[in-house]
PDB file of all heavy atoms in Angstrom:
ATOM      1  N   VAL A   1      -3.379   8.364 -14.062  1.00 95.00           N
ATOM      2  CA  VAL A   1      -2.435   7.723 -13.149  1.00 95.00           C
ATOM      3  C   VAL A   1      -3.087   7.364 -11.823  1.00 95.00           C
ATOM      4  O   VAL A   1      -4.092   7.949 -11.418  1.00 95.00           O
ATOM      5  CB  VAL A   1      -1.211   8.632 -12.881  1.00 95.00           C
ATOM      6  CG1 VAL A   1      -0.519   8.989 -14.189  1.00 95.00           C
ATOM      7  CG2 VAL A   1      -1.602   9.905 -12.129  1.00 95.00           C
ATOM      8  N   LEU A   2      -2.490   6.379 -11.175  1.00 96.00           N
ATOM      9  CA  LEU A   2      -2.804   6.067  -9.786  1.00 96.00           C
ATOM     10  C   LEU A   2      -1.568   6.490  -9.009  1.00 96.00           C
ATOM     11  O   LEU A   2      -0.471   5.974  -9.253  1.00 96.00           O
ATOM     12  CB  LEU A   2      -3.079   4.574  -9.606  1.00 96.00           C
ATOM     13  CG  LEU A   2      -3.807   4.181  -8.313  1.00 96.00           C
ATOM     14  CD1 LEU A   2      -5.261   4.644  -8.383  1.00 96.00           C
ATOM     15  CD2 LEU A   2      -3.768   2.689  -8.079  1.00 96.00           C
ATOM     16  N   ALA A   3      -1.738   7.453  -8.117  1.00 96.00           N
ATOM     17  CA  ALA A   3      -0.586   8.029  -7.425  1.00 96.00           C
ATOM     18  C   ALA A   3      -0.851   8.159  -5.931  1.00 96.00           C
ATOM     19  O   ALA A   3      -2.004   8.145  -5.490  1.00 96.00           O
ATOM     20  CB  ALA A   3      -0.251   9.391  -8.016  1.00 96.00           C
ATOM     21  N   ASN A   4       0.218   8.291  -5.180  1.00 96.00           N
ATOM     22  CA  ASN A   4       0.096   8.563  -3.748  1.00 96.00           C
ATOM     23  C   ASN A   4       1.247   9.452  -3.301  1.00 96.00           C
ATOM     24  O   ASN A   4       2.098   9.843  -4.099  1.00 96.00           O
ATOM     25  CB  ASN A   4       0.029   7.263  -2.935  1.00 96.00           C
ATOM     26  CG  ASN A   4       1.322   6.451  -2.993  1.00 96.00           C
ATOM     27  OD1 ASN A   4       2.208   6.727  -3.792  1.00 96.00           O
ATOM     28  ND2 ASN A   4       1.426   5.429  -2.165  1.00 96.00           N
ATOM     29  N   SER A   5       1.251   9.772  -2.023  1.00 96.00           N
ATOM     30  CA  SER A   5       2.303  10.600  -1.456  1.00 96.00           C
ATOM     31  C   SER A   5       3.644   9.878  -1.548  1.00 96.00           C
ATOM     32  O   SER A   5       3.713   8.643  -1.480  1.00 96.00           O
ATOM     33  CB  SER A   5       1.979  10.904   0.010  1.00 96.00           C
ATOM     34  OG  SER A   5       3.124  11.388   0.691  1.00 96.00           O
ATOM     35  N   LYS A   6       4.708  10.634  -1.684  1.00 95.00           N
ATOM     36  CA  LYS A   6       6.048  10.032  -1.711  1.00 95.00           C
ATOM     37  C   LYS A   6       6.386   9.379  -0.383  1.00 95.00           C
ATOM     38  O   LYS A   6       7.324   8.582  -0.296  1.00 95.00           O
ATOM     39  CB  LYS A   6       7.090  11.085  -2.073  1.00 95.00           C
ATOM     40  CG  LYS A   6       7.129  11.399  -3.559  1.00 95.00           C
ATOM     41  CD  LYS A   6       8.404  12.113  -3.935  1.00 95.00           C
ATOM     42  CE  LYS A   6       8.586  12.086  -5.450  1.00 95.00           C
ATOM     43  NZ  LYS A   6       9.841  12.746  -5.874  1.00 95.00           N
ATOM     44  N   ALA A   7       5.594   9.699   0.641  1.00 94.00           N
ATOM     45  CA  ALA A   7       5.786   9.057   1.947  1.00 94.00           C
ATOM     46  C   ALA A   7       5.086   7.704   2.009  1.00 94.00           C
ATOM     47  O   ALA A   7       5.260   6.938   2.959  1.00 94.00           O
ATOM     48  CB  ALA A   7       5.254   9.962   3.060  1.00 94.00           C
ATOM     49  N   GLY A   8       4.301   7.380   0.977  1.00 94.00           N
ATOM     50  CA  GLY A   8       3.548   6.125   0.948  1.00 94.00           C
ATOM     51  C   GLY A   8       4.309   4.998   0.276  1.00 94.00           C
ATOM     52  O   GLY A   8       5.444   5.153  -0.179  1.00 94.00           O
ATOM     53  N   THR A   9       3.665   3.836   0.202  1.00 93.00           N
ATOM     54  CA  THR A   9       4.267   2.635  -0.378  1.00 93.00           C
ATOM     55  C   THR A   9       4.242   2.677  -1.898  1.00 93.00           C
ATOM     56  O   THR A   9       3.287   3.147  -2.503  1.00 93.00           O
ATOM     57  CB  THR A   9       3.486   1.389   0.101  1.00 93.00           C
ATOM     58  OG1 THR A   9       3.450   1.385   1.526  1.00 93.00           O
ATOM     59  CG2 THR A   9       4.148   0.107  -0.381  1.00 93.00           C
ATOM     60  N   VAL A  10       5.306   2.166  -2.502  1.00 94.00           N
ATOM     61  CA  VAL A  10       5.353   2.026  -3.955  1.00 94.00           C
ATOM     62  C   VAL A  10       4.711   0.697  -4.332  1.00 94.00           C
ATOM     63  O   VAL A  10       5.022  -0.345  -3.746  1.00 94.00           O
ATOM     64  CB  VAL A  10       6.806   2.056  -4.476  1.00 94.00           C
ATOM     65  CG1 VAL A  10       6.851   1.786  -5.978  1.00 94.00           C
ATOM     66  CG2 VAL A  10       7.458   3.397  -4.160  1.00 94.00           C
ATOM     67  N   VAL A  11       3.783   0.723  -5.293  1.00 94.00           N
ATOM     68  CA  VAL A  11       3.117  -0.507  -5.715  1.00 94.00           C
ATOM     69  C   VAL A  11       3.210  -0.641  -7.235  1.00 94.00           C
ATOM     70  O   VAL A  11       3.377   0.345  -7.945  1.00 94.00           O
ATOM     71  CB  VAL A  11       1.636  -0.552  -5.278  1.00 94.00           C
ATOM     72  CG1 VAL A  11       1.518  -0.632  -3.775  1.00 94.00           C
ATOM     73  CG2 VAL A  11       0.864   0.647  -5.814  1.00 94.00           C
ATOM     74  N   ASP A  12       3.103  -1.865  -7.703  1.00 95.00           N
ATOM     75  CA  ASP A  12       3.071  -2.162  -9.130  1.00 95.00           C
ATOM     76  C   ASP A  12       1.757  -2.901  -9.357  1.00 95.00           C
ATOM     77  O   ASP A  12       1.600  -4.043  -8.936  1.00 95.00           O
ATOM     78  CB  ASP A  12       4.271  -3.032  -9.509  1.00 95.00           C
ATOM     79  CG  ASP A  12       4.395  -3.238 -11.021  1.00 95.00           C
ATOM     80  OD1 ASP A  12       3.421  -2.947 -11.725  1.00 95.00           O
ATOM     81  OD2 ASP A  12       5.453  -3.712 -11.463  1.00 95.00           O
ATOM     82  N   LEU A  13       0.806  -2.227  -9.985  1.00 96.00           N
ATOM     83  CA  LEU A  13      -0.549  -2.753 -10.092  1.00 96.00           C
ATOM     84  C   LEU A  13      -0.873  -3.261 -11.494  1.00 96.00           C
ATOM     85  O   LEU A  13      -0.279  -2.820 -12.477  1.00 96.00           O
ATOM     86  CB  LEU A  13      -1.557  -1.667  -9.712  1.00 96.00           C
ATOM     87  CG  LEU A  13      -1.512  -1.175  -8.266  1.00 96.00           C
ATOM     88  CD1 LEU A  13      -2.228   0.157  -8.148  1.00 96.00           C
ATOM     89  CD2 LEU A  13      -2.141  -2.203  -7.333  1.00 96.00           C
ATOM     90  N   THR A  14      -1.815  -4.162 -11.556  1.00 97.00           N
ATOM     91  CA  THR A  14      -2.373  -4.568 -12.844  1.00 97.00           C
ATOM     92  C   THR A  14      -3.781  -3.977 -12.942  1.00 97.00           C
ATOM     93  O   THR A  14      -4.391  -3.614 -11.929  1.00 97.00           O
ATOM     94  CB  THR A  14      -2.463  -6.099 -12.963  1.00 97.00           C
ATOM     95  OG1 THR A  14      -3.407  -6.585 -11.991  1.00 97.00           O
ATOM     96  CG2 THR A  14      -1.106  -6.758 -12.732  1.00 97.00           C
ATOM     97  N   LYS A  15      -4.299  -3.905 -14.158  1.00 97.00           N
ATOM     98  CA  LYS A  15      -5.673  -3.427 -14.323  1.00 97.00           C
ATOM     99  C   LYS A  15      -6.645  -4.341 -13.576  1.00 97.00           C
ATOM    100  O   LYS A  15      -7.631  -3.876 -13.000  1.00 97.00           O
ATOM    101  CB  LYS A  15      -6.034  -3.367 -15.809  1.00 97.00           C
ATOM    102  CG  LYS A  15      -5.336  -2.259 -16.573  1.00 97.00           C
ATOM    103  CD  LYS A  15      -5.806  -2.216 -18.029  1.00 97.00           C
ATOM    104  CE  LYS A  15      -5.102  -1.126 -18.811  1.00 97.00           C
ATOM    105  NZ  LYS A  15      -5.549  -1.068 -20.218  1.00 97.00           N
ATOM    106  N   GLU A  16      -6.346  -5.630 -13.574  1.00 97.00           N
ATOM    107  CA  GLU A  16      -7.217  -6.580 -12.879  1.00 97.00           C
ATOM    108  C   GLU A  16      -7.263  -6.297 -11.384  1.00 97.00           C
ATOM    109  O   GLU A  16      -8.327  -6.344 -10.763  1.00 97.00           O
ATOM    110  CB  GLU A  16      -6.738  -8.011 -13.131  1.00 97.00           C
ATOM    111  CG  GLU A  16      -7.644  -9.058 -12.489  1.00 97.00           C
ATOM    112  CD  GLU A  16      -7.152 -10.489 -12.717  1.00 97.00           C
ATOM    113  OE1 GLU A  16      -6.072 -10.664 -13.301  1.00 97.00           O
ATOM    114  OE2 GLU A  16      -7.864 -11.413 -12.297  1.00 97.00           O
ATOM    115  N   GLN A  17      -6.112  -5.992 -10.797  1.00 97.00           N
ATOM    116  CA  GLN A  17      -6.078  -5.673  -9.367  1.00 97.00           C
ATOM    117  C   GLN A  17      -6.837  -4.384  -9.064  1.00 97.00           C
ATOM    118  O   GLN A  17      -7.552  -4.290  -8.065  1.00 97.00           O
ATOM    119  CB  GLN A  17      -4.621  -5.551  -8.897  1.00 97.00           C
ATOM    120  CG  GLN A  17      -3.876  -6.871  -8.847  1.00 97.00           C
ATOM    121  CD  GLN A  17      -2.386  -6.692  -8.668  1.00 97.00           C
ATOM    122  OE1 GLN A  17      -1.827  -5.605  -8.915  1.00 97.00           O
ATOM    123  NE2 GLN A  17      -1.702  -7.754  -8.237  1.00 97.00           N
ATOM    124  N   ILE A  18      -6.700  -3.392  -9.934  1.00 97.00           N
ATOM    125  CA  ILE A  18      -7.426  -2.132  -9.741  1.00 97.00           C
ATOM    126  C   ILE A  18      -8.928  -2.374  -9.842  1.00 97.00           C
ATOM    127  O   ILE A  18      -9.717  -1.845  -9.045  1.00 97.00           O
ATOM    128  CB  ILE A  18      -6.968  -1.076 -10.779  1.00 97.00           C
ATOM    129  CG1 ILE A  18      -5.481  -0.762 -10.602  1.00 97.00           C
ATOM    130  CG2 ILE A  18      -7.793   0.203 -10.634  1.00 97.00           C
ATOM    131  CD1 ILE A  18      -4.897   0.102 -11.712  1.00 97.00           C
ATOM    132  N   PHE A  19      -9.335  -3.183 -10.814  1.00 97.00           N
ATOM    133  CA  PHE A  19     -10.752  -3.515 -10.949  1.00 97.00           C
ATOM    134  C   PHE A  19     -11.273  -4.173  -9.672  1.00 97.00           C
ATOM    135  O   PHE A  19     -12.317  -3.778  -9.136  1.00 97.00           O
ATOM    136  CB  PHE A  19     -10.973  -4.450 -12.144  1.00 97.00           C
ATOM    137  CG  PHE A  19     -12.388  -4.986 -12.223  1.00 97.00           C
ATOM    138  CD1 PHE A  19     -13.398  -4.222 -12.788  1.00 97.00           C
ATOM    139  CD2 PHE A  19     -12.715  -6.227 -11.696  1.00 97.00           C
ATOM    140  CE1 PHE A  19     -14.705  -4.690 -12.835  1.00 97.00           C
ATOM    141  CE2 PHE A  19     -14.012  -6.714 -11.745  1.00 97.00           C
ATOM    142  CZ  PHE A  19     -15.012  -5.943 -12.313  1.00 97.00           C
ATOM    143  N   LYS A  20     -10.555  -5.169  -9.185  1.00 97.00           N
ATOM    144  CA  LYS A  20     -11.003  -5.881  -7.980  1.00 97.00           C
ATOM    145  C   LYS A  20     -11.060  -4.965  -6.762  1.00 97.00           C
ATOM    146  O   LYS A  20     -11.910  -5.125  -5.883  1.00 97.00           O
ATOM    147  CB  LYS A  20     -10.076  -7.060  -7.698  1.00 97.00           C
ATOM    148  CG  LYS A  20     -10.240  -8.222  -8.669  1.00 97.00           C
ATOM    149  CD  LYS A  20      -9.305  -9.375  -8.295  1.00 97.00           C
ATOM    150  CE  LYS A  20      -9.499 -10.573  -9.212  1.00 97.00           C
ATOM    151  NZ  LYS A  20      -8.570 -11.686  -8.876  1.00 97.00           N
ATOM    152  N   ALA A  21     -10.186  -3.974  -6.722  1.00 98.00           N
ATOM    153  CA  ALA A  21     -10.172  -3.063  -5.576  1.00 98.00           C
ATOM    154  C   ALA A  21     -11.318  -2.062  -5.623  1.00 98.00           C
ATOM    155  O   ALA A  21     -11.845  -1.670  -4.574  1.00 98.00           O
ATOM    156  CB  ALA A  21      -8.847  -2.314  -5.529  1.00 98.00           C
ATOM    157  N   LEU A  22     -11.749  -1.693  -6.825  1.00 97.00           N
ATOM    158  CA  LEU A  22     -12.689  -0.571  -6.941  1.00 97.00           C
ATOM    159  C   LEU A  22     -14.067  -0.915  -7.503  1.00 97.00           C
ATOM    160  O   LEU A  22     -14.978  -0.097  -7.429  1.00 97.00           O
ATOM    161  CB  LEU A  22     -12.063   0.530  -7.804  1.00 97.00           C
ATOM    162  CG  LEU A  22     -10.768   1.147  -7.261  1.00 97.00           C
ATOM    163  CD1 LEU A  22     -10.273   2.227  -8.193  1.00 97.00           C
ATOM    164  CD2 LEU A  22     -10.981   1.704  -5.857  1.00 97.00           C
ATOM    165  N   ALA A  23     -14.250  -2.101  -8.061  1.00 96.00           N
ATOM    166  CA  ALA A  23     -15.544  -2.450  -8.648  1.00 96.00           C
ATOM    167  C   ALA A  23     -16.614  -2.611  -7.575  1.00 96.00           C
ATOM    168  O   ALA A  23     -16.346  -3.090  -6.463  1.00 96.00           O
ATOM    169  CB  ALA A  23     -15.418  -3.734  -9.449  1.00 96.00           C
ATOM    170  N   LYS A  24     -17.816  -2.228  -7.910  1.00 95.00           N
ATOM    171  CA  LYS A  24     -18.934  -2.394  -6.977  1.00 95.00           C
ATOM    172  C   LYS A  24     -19.225  -3.873  -6.740  1.00 95.00           C
ATOM    173  O   LYS A  24     -19.508  -4.296  -5.611  1.00 95.00           O
ATOM    174  CB  LYS A  24     -20.185  -1.693  -7.527  1.00 95.00           C
ATOM    175  CG  LYS A  24     -21.385  -1.735  -6.590  1.00 95.00           C
ATOM    176  CD  LYS A  24     -22.538  -0.919  -7.153  1.00 95.00           C
ATOM    177  CE  LYS A  24     -23.723  -0.923  -6.188  1.00 95.00           C
ATOM    178  NZ  LYS A  24     -24.844  -0.091  -6.717  1.00 95.00           N
ATOM    179  N   ASN A  25     -19.158  -4.656  -7.812  1.00 94.00           N
ATOM    180  CA  ASN A  25     -19.387  -6.099  -7.720  1.00 94.00           C
ATOM    181  C   ASN A  25     -18.214  -6.852  -8.322  1.00 94.00           C
ATOM    182  O   ASN A  25     -17.660  -6.440  -9.360  1.00 94.00           O
ATOM    183  CB  ASN A  25     -20.671  -6.484  -8.465  1.00 94.00           C
ATOM    184  CG  ASN A  25     -21.897  -5.815  -7.882  1.00 94.00           C
ATOM    185  OD1 ASN A  25     -22.191  -5.956  -6.702  1.00 94.00           O
ATOM    186  ND2 ASN A  25     -22.614  -5.067  -8.710  1.00 94.00           N
ATOM    187  N   VAL A  26     -17.819  -7.950  -7.684  1.00 95.00           N
ATOM    188  CA  VAL A  26     -16.719  -8.777  -8.179  1.00 95.00           C
ATOM    189  C   VAL A  26     -17.122 -10.246  -8.120  1.00 95.00           C
ATOM    190  O   VAL A  26     -18.102 -10.613  -7.447  1.00 95.00           O
ATOM    191  CB  VAL A  26     -15.427  -8.569  -7.352  1.00 95.00           C
ATOM    192  CG1 VAL A  26     -14.923  -7.149  -7.480  1.00 95.00           C
ATOM    193  CG2 VAL A  26     -15.653  -8.929  -5.881  1.00 95.00           C
ATOM    194  N   ALA A  27     -16.362 -11.076  -8.807  1.00 94.00           N
ATOM    195  CA  ALA A  27     -16.619 -12.518  -8.781  1.00 94.00           C
ATOM    196  C   ALA A  27     -15.687 -13.172  -7.765  1.00 94.00           C
ATOM    197  O   ALA A  27     -14.473 -12.982  -7.802  1.00 94.00           O
ATOM    198  CB  ALA A  27     -16.384 -13.113 -10.160  1.00 94.00           C
ATOM    199  N   VAL A  28     -16.276 -13.913  -6.849  1.00 94.00           N
ATOM    200  CA  VAL A  28     -15.519 -14.674  -5.854  1.00 94.00           C
ATOM    201  C   VAL A  28     -15.995 -16.114  -5.923  1.00 94.00           C
ATOM    202  O   VAL A  28     -17.189 -16.389  -5.749  1.00 94.00           O
ATOM    203  CB  VAL A  28     -15.722 -14.104  -4.426  1.00 94.00           C
ATOM    204  CG1 VAL A  28     -14.944 -14.938  -3.413  1.00 94.00           C
ATOM    205  CG2 VAL A  28     -15.286 -12.642  -4.357  1.00 94.00           C
ATOM    206  N   ASP A  29     -15.060 -17.028  -6.202  1.00 92.00           N
ATOM    207  CA  ASP A  29     -15.395 -18.448  -6.355  1.00 92.00           C
ATOM    208  C   ASP A  29     -16.518 -18.658  -7.380  1.00 92.00           C
ATOM    209  O   ASP A  29     -17.429 -19.468  -7.180  1.00 92.00           O
ATOM    210  CB  ASP A  29     -15.803 -19.054  -5.004  1.00 92.00           C
ATOM    211  CG  ASP A  29     -14.662 -19.024  -3.995  1.00 92.00           C
ATOM    212  OD1 ASP A  29     -13.494 -19.115  -4.425  1.00 92.00           O
ATOM    213  OD2 ASP A  29     -14.944 -18.882  -2.792  1.00 92.00           O
ATOM    214  N   GLY A  30     -16.459 -17.858  -8.450  1.00 90.00           N
ATOM    215  CA  GLY A  30     -17.418 -18.024  -9.534  1.00 90.00           C
ATOM    216  C   GLY A  30     -18.756 -17.345  -9.328  1.00 90.00           C
ATOM    217  O   GLY A  30     -19.605 -17.356 -10.214  1.00 90.00           O
ATOM    218  N   LYS A  31     -18.954 -16.718  -8.165  1.00 93.00           N
ATOM    219  CA  LYS A  31     -20.214 -16.039  -7.876  1.00 93.00           C
ATOM    220  C   LYS A  31     -19.998 -14.523  -7.807  1.00 93.00           C
ATOM    221  O   LYS A  31     -18.992 -14.059  -7.276  1.00 93.00           O
ATOM    222  CB  LYS A  31     -20.798 -16.530  -6.553  1.00 93.00           C
ATOM    223  CG  LYS A  31     -21.201 -18.003  -6.571  1.00 93.00           C
ATOM    224  CD  LYS A  31     -21.787 -18.415  -5.225  1.00 93.00           C
ATOM    225  CE  LYS A  31     -22.207 -19.885  -5.237  1.00 93.00           C
ATOM    226  NZ  LYS A  31     -22.781 -20.321  -3.929  1.00 93.00           N
ATOM    227  N   VAL A  32     -20.956 -13.772  -8.342  1.00 93.00           N
ATOM    228  CA  VAL A  32     -20.866 -12.310  -8.323  1.00 93.00           C
ATOM    229  C   VAL A  32     -21.432 -11.794  -7.006  1.00 93.00           C
ATOM    230  O   VAL A  32     -22.590 -12.062  -6.661  1.00 93.00           O
ATOM    231  CB  VAL A  32     -21.624 -11.691  -9.515  1.00 93.00           C
ATOM    232  CG1 VAL A  32     -21.572 -10.168  -9.453  1.00 93.00           C
ATOM    233  CG2 VAL A  32     -21.019 -12.184 -10.826  1.00 93.00           C
ATOM    234  N   VAL A  33     -20.585 -11.069  -6.262  1.00 94.00           N
ATOM    235  CA  VAL A  33     -20.994 -10.564  -4.943  1.00 94.00           C
ATOM    236  C   VAL A  33     -20.582  -9.094  -4.812  1.00 94.00           C
ATOM    237  O   VAL A  33     -19.770  -8.591  -5.579  1.00 94.00           O
ATOM    238  CB  VAL A  33     -20.319 -11.381  -3.811  1.00 94.00           C
ATOM    239  CG1 VAL A  33     -20.767 -12.835  -3.860  1.00 94.00           C
ATOM    240  CG2 VAL A  33     -18.797 -11.291  -3.901  1.00 94.00           C
ATOM    241  N   ALA A  34     -21.173  -8.429  -3.813  1.00 95.00           N
ATOM    242  CA  ALA A  34     -20.744  -7.065  -3.502  1.00 95.00           C
ATOM    243  C   ALA A  34     -19.282  -7.125  -3.073  1.00 95.00           C
ATOM    244  O   ALA A  34     -18.859  -8.053  -2.363  1.00 95.00           O
ATOM    245  CB  ALA A  34     -21.607  -6.492  -2.387  1.00 95.00           C
ATOM    246  N   ASN A  35     -18.507  -6.155  -3.510  1.00 96.00           N
ATOM    247  CA  ASN A  35     -17.059  -6.172  -3.266  1.00 96.00           C
ATOM    248  C   ASN A  35     -16.732  -6.357  -1.780  1.00 96.00           C
ATOM    249  O   ASN A  35     -17.072  -5.514  -0.956  1.00 96.00           O
ATOM    250  CB  ASN A  35     -16.426  -4.869  -3.771  1.00 96.00           C
ATOM    251  CG  ASN A  35     -14.920  -4.971  -3.919  1.00 96.00           C
ATOM    252  OD1 ASN A  35     -14.238  -5.595  -3.123  1.00 96.00           O
ATOM    253  ND2 ASN A  35     -14.403  -4.334  -4.957  1.00 96.00           N
ATOM    254  N   PRO A  36     -16.057  -7.475  -1.423  1.00 97.00           N
ATOM    255  CA  PRO A  36     -15.766  -7.745  -0.018  1.00 97.00           C
ATOM    256  C   PRO A  36     -14.385  -7.273   0.432  1.00 97.00           C
ATOM    257  O   PRO A  36     -14.051  -7.349   1.614  1.00 97.00           O
ATOM    258  CB  PRO A  36     -15.813  -9.276   0.037  1.00 97.00           C
ATOM    259  CG  PRO A  36     -15.251  -9.686  -1.302  1.00 97.00           C
ATOM    260  CD  PRO A  36     -15.692  -8.614  -2.282  1.00 97.00           C
TER     261      PRO A  36
END
């Protein structure tokens, strides 16, 4: 699970969003770069 404190915000995430948030490298405009 991805969880937080009940005092925090409720979110509805996709696997793609989690990947983009946590991957070391991601694709931006077709180019692979360090996660910005």
Side-chain angles (χ1 to χ4, degrees):
V1 303
L2 197 71
N4 66 349
S5 164
K6 282 197 165 181
T9 305
V10 175
V11 293
D12 187 345
L13 296 162
T14 65
K15 289 183 181 180
E16 183 181 4
Q17 289 168 341
I18 298 171
F19 172 82
K20 287 182 177 179
L22 298 181
K24 184 175 182 178
N25 299 303
V26 296
V28 179
D29 297 329
K31 295 181 179 180
V32 178
V33 297
N35 196 322

